[in-house]
Amino acid sequence: MDEQVKQEYQEYVKEVTPTHNLWIQMLKAFLVGGIICVIGQFILNYCTNTMGLDKETAGSWCSLLLILASILLTGFNIYPSIVKFGGAGALVPITGFANSVAAPAIEFKKEGQVFGIGCKIFTIAGPVILYGIFTSWALGLGYWIARSLGWL
């Protein structure tokens, strides 16, 4: 009886487990990530060539506009569809990070400003920010020590 139950369960798992074609998934990720990068490059070119901004200021505007677009698309529940289609192509760029910050805040807004939005907004992004700050601090400390000892 045990073997029959195990076999039925394994057949059930096979039925409900989605199958993905790796090459098609990679193509979709490449296309979506590429489109996001093309949009970013367009913004960068527009800011430098048409508006006359320097590269650093144009880069800041590009980042801000991509983040704004990602948050708006997340708010209108469009970005999750893009992620479902494009996978890592939509999650890796700066737009994916903005989505990971905005999505929990939107999802938990019904729990209130403090316990909903305030506590959940950094559910995904919090560890990234924490370890990014800690790593930069540790590297800065190492650099300072190395310079103090005359190694650099």
Side-chain angles (χ1 to χ4, degrees), residues 116-131:
I117 297 171
C119 293
K120 299 295 183 176
I121 195 165
F122 293 113
T123 302
I124 295 172
V128 174
I129 294 169
L130 171 71
Y131 291 115

Side-chain angles (χ1 to χ4, degrees), residues 70-77 80 98-111 116-117 120-121:
S70 174
I71 291 171
L72 288 174
L73 290 173
T74 300
F76 289 119
N77 204 25
N99 173 51
S100 71
V101 173
I106 292 168
E107 183 178 343
F108 292 99
K109 69 181 177 185
K110 62 182 172 250
E111 294 180 22
I117 297 171
K120 299 295 183 176
I121 195 165

Side-chain angles (χ1 to χ4, degrees), residues 1-78:
M1 185 72 169
D2 255 358
E3 290 299 318
Q4 184 181 3
V5 171
K6 285 181 184 178
Q7 186 177 5
E8 288 175 7
Y9 179 72
Q10 287 176 352
E11 289 174 15
Y12 170 73
V13 168
K14 243 183 206 178
E15 281 180 31
V16 296
T17 303
T19 57
H20 300 287
N21 184 330
L22 178 64
W23 294 103
I24 291 176
Q25 289 300 109
M26 289 190 321
L27 178 66
K28 288 178 180 180
F30 179 78
L31 288 173
V32 170
I35 289 169
I36 292 170
C37 291
V38 165
I39 292 169
Q41 189 63 50
F42 173 78
I43 294 169
L44 198 59
N45 290 348
Y46 181 80
C47 288
T48 53
N49 298 334
T50 307
M51 296 178 66
L53 300 175
D54 62 290
K55 278 189 171 185
E56 189 175 324
T57 306
S60 297
W61 274 103
C62 178
S63 298
L64 288 170
L65 290 173
L66 286 173
I67 290 169
L68 175 65
S70 174
I71 291 171
L72 288 174
L73 290 173
T74 300
F76 289 119
N77 204 25
I78 297 170

